[in-house]
Amino acid sequence: MKTSDFYFDLPQELIAQKPSGKRGEDRLMLLSRNDGRVEHHVMADLPDLIESGTLMIFNNSRVRRSRCYGIKKSSGREQEFMFLKQLSDSGDTWHTMVKGAKKVREGNVYQFPDGSEGTIIENPEDEGSEFRTIKFPFCIDEDWFERNGHIPLPPYIRREDTENDAERYQTIYASETGSAACPTAGLHFTEELLQKLKDKNIGLEWITLHVGLGTFLPVRVEQIEDHKMHEEVYTVPYDVAEKINAAKKEGRPILAVGTTSVRTLESACDENGRVKGGTGSTHIFMYPGYKFKVVDQMFTNFHTPESTLIMLVSAFAGRENILSAYQQAVEQKYRFFSYGDAMLIK
């Protein structure tokens, strides 16, 4: 299939630049996997749209303040770094994505707001790419990111981050720090909504996938089969795996909240769909033709054209159904992407 098969025309004004006035008050589209039928709802309707006994799986990863700005010591030029992955057990060496990578060379020294300095070091994997490896004389911990970092808003949000983003670009249940982007489907949930779901005998469980390049790097190849996903780390608690397997055995639906939860569950299972607990890594790439083994229903946001995420939901609900639903979303002026509205596919 071609990447262009997943293109749709989206007016710029429908790309949400900030969260809605109050968490949990977004619009919700219901899409039938079978026939493409669409209904229009609001988030408050969600408990009535999910059957009792369903098991919902959420991603509890917390966004790190991973966008950091360093000053090149030799020139005074500012350089943006997106810290993605710790490469050393000592915590002093990190893989980063940088803007204008050709100018970020081995040996360059950058000073960060708290006065700490990092040096670009050789890494053969970085050659010819937008990635660079930076080494510090000490361990980089979460306190360092809190002092030096910014909330890593996606590039289609064309503004600087604010203190409001520090709260609104995190899910209310985020607990395991490590993501370079928010698992944004979860942004719609409030404590009140979670309680209403519980009251309806809907199970709620949490797994962890730290969002990295595998989720947000664009597809740059013509044939989607040639795209290579970057690796992301996930954890499925053993008791959660047991609950998922029990629900599948009893015929109760598994509803994954967000594409990251989908990727985790479909990566953590065997060929028979039995989920295994523990920590692992995945570079799974789901596009039409993929056969889902665990996930029966999906709650998600509206995704960018030609992205791996719209390919994933197209694998789940059918490309024609998704593109038709997205066209209706455009006509009805739904808000798109991270701070936008939501879709329930069942």
Side-chain angles (χ1 to χ4, degrees):
M1 300 187 77
K2 292 184 177 181
T3 301
S4 58
D5 291 335
F6 298 89
Y7 176 80
F8 65 94
D9 190 30
L10 179 66
Q12 286 290 311
E13 63 267 22
L14 296 185
I15 299 175
Q17 295 297 306
K18 58 183 181 179
S20 58
K22 187 175 181 181
R23 191 190 292 265
E25 292 189 350
D26 299 299
R27 296 167 73 186
L28 173 65
M29 176 182 284
L30 175 62
L31 172 63
S32 169
R33 292 177 71 185
N34 294 327
D35 57 16
R37 183 171 52 86
V38 163
E39 295 178 9
H40 303 287
H41 294 272
V42 294
M43 278 300 299
D45 298 335
L46 185 64
D48 295 328
L49 301 176
I50 302 173
E51 65 184 88
S52 176
T54 298
L55 179 59
M56 297 180 71
I57 305 297
F58 299 78
N59 181 5
N60 63 7
S61 183
R62 185 172 182 82
V63 182
R64 172 180 285 133
R65 288 181 173 264
S66 55
R67 177 173 282 126
C68 304
Y69 295 88
I71 301 297
K72 186 178 178 181
K73 292 203 70 178
S74 62
S75 68
R77 178 177 176 269
E78 185 178 73
Q79 178 63 54
E80 178 184 319
F81 294 86
M82 176 74 83
F83 282 70
L84 297 170
K85 184 180 179 182
Q86 181 178 306
L87 296 180
S88 62
D89 292 338
S90 56
D92 60 358
T93 305
W94 284 74
H95 208 210
T96 68
M97 184 167 65
V98 300
K99 287 186 175 180
K102 290 182 179 179
K103 297 180 180 178
V104 182
R105 300 186 178 95
E106 181 185 349
N108 286 4
V109 178
Y110 294 89
Q111 186 175 75
F112 293 85
D114 69 350
S116 58
E117 295 181 358
T119 303
I120 304 299
I121 64 172
E122 181 182 12
N123 183 342
E125 294 182 6
D126 296 343
E127 189 172 344
S129 76
E130 61 262 67
F131 308 117
R132 292 294 183 267
T133 300
I134 187 167
K135 183 177 175 65
F136 293 81
F138 54 86
C139 173
I140 299 298
D141 57 17
E142 295 308 323
D143 287 338
W144 187 91
F145 285 108
E146 287 296 316
R147 292 194 305 273
N148 294 283
H150 294 259
I151 296 296
L153 296 178
Y156 48 74
I157 295 180
R158 298 193 170 117
R159 60 175 176 80
E160 296 299 318
D161 64 302
T162 67
E163 281 307 306
N164 186 47
D165 294 306
E167 186 257 331
R168 291 298 299 271
Y169 196 64
Q170 301 277 13
T171 63
I172 62 167
Y173 46 75
S175 59
E176 305 297 323
T177 301
S179 279
C182 182
T184 54
L187 293 178
H188 301 281
F189 290 86
T190 63
E191 292 289 359
E192 180 183 12
L193 180 56
L194 293 177
Q195 186 59 54
K196 287 181 177 179
L197 291 166
K198 291 178 184 176
D199 291 344
K200 195 180 172 183
N201 192 34
I202 294 167
L204 314 178
E205 296 294 339
W206 280 264
I207 51 85
T208 306
L209 180 138
H210 291 313
V211 186
L213 290 175
T215 294
F216 66 79
L217 257 193
V219 178
R220 298 191 175 109
V221 295
E222 183 177 351
Q223 300 292 330
I224 65 173
E225 294 85 355
D226 296 332
H227 178 70
K228 303 298 182 185
M229 296 286 283
H230 283 257
E231 192 172 74
E232 293 172 313
V233 176
Y234 67 81
T235 299
V236 179
Y238 289 98
D239 64 320
V240 174
E242 291 176 2
K243 291 174 182 177
I244 294 168
N245 294 330
K248 294 294 287 186
K249 187 175 181 180
E250 295 164 9
R252 294 187 284 118
I254 304 299
L255 196 171
V257 176
T259 56
T260 57
S261 295
V262 175
R263 297 182 72 235
T264 299
L265 296 179
E266 295 294 320
S267 298
C269 69
D270 61 22
E271 59 187 16
N272 298 314
R274 184 171 180 80
V275 175
K276 293 174 280 190
T279 296
S281 61
T282 180
H283 48 77
I284 191 170
F285 179 23
M286 287 174 271
Y287 51 86
Y290 178 84
K291 303 299 182 185
F292 289 81
K293 298 182 285 293
V294 180
V295 178
D296 303 300
Q297 301 175 9
M298 188 189 309
F299 179 94
T300 185
N301 280 13
F302 291 90
H303 304 294
T304 53
E306 300 184 330
S307 65
T308 61
L309 302 180
I310 194 170
M311 294 172 190
L312 185 155
V313 295
S314 294
F316 191 71
R319 186 181 74 91
E320 293 78 11
N321 288 345
I322 288 293
L323 292 180
S324 175
Y326 274 44
Q327 180 58 40
Q328 292 184 59
V330 169
E331 292 169 357
Q332 296 290 326
K333 298 190 181 305
Y334 275 70
R335 301 167 75 243
F336 277 68
F337 309 160
S338 294
Y339 275 147
D341 295 313
M343 172 184 281
L344 174 62
I345 309 173
K346 55 180 290 192

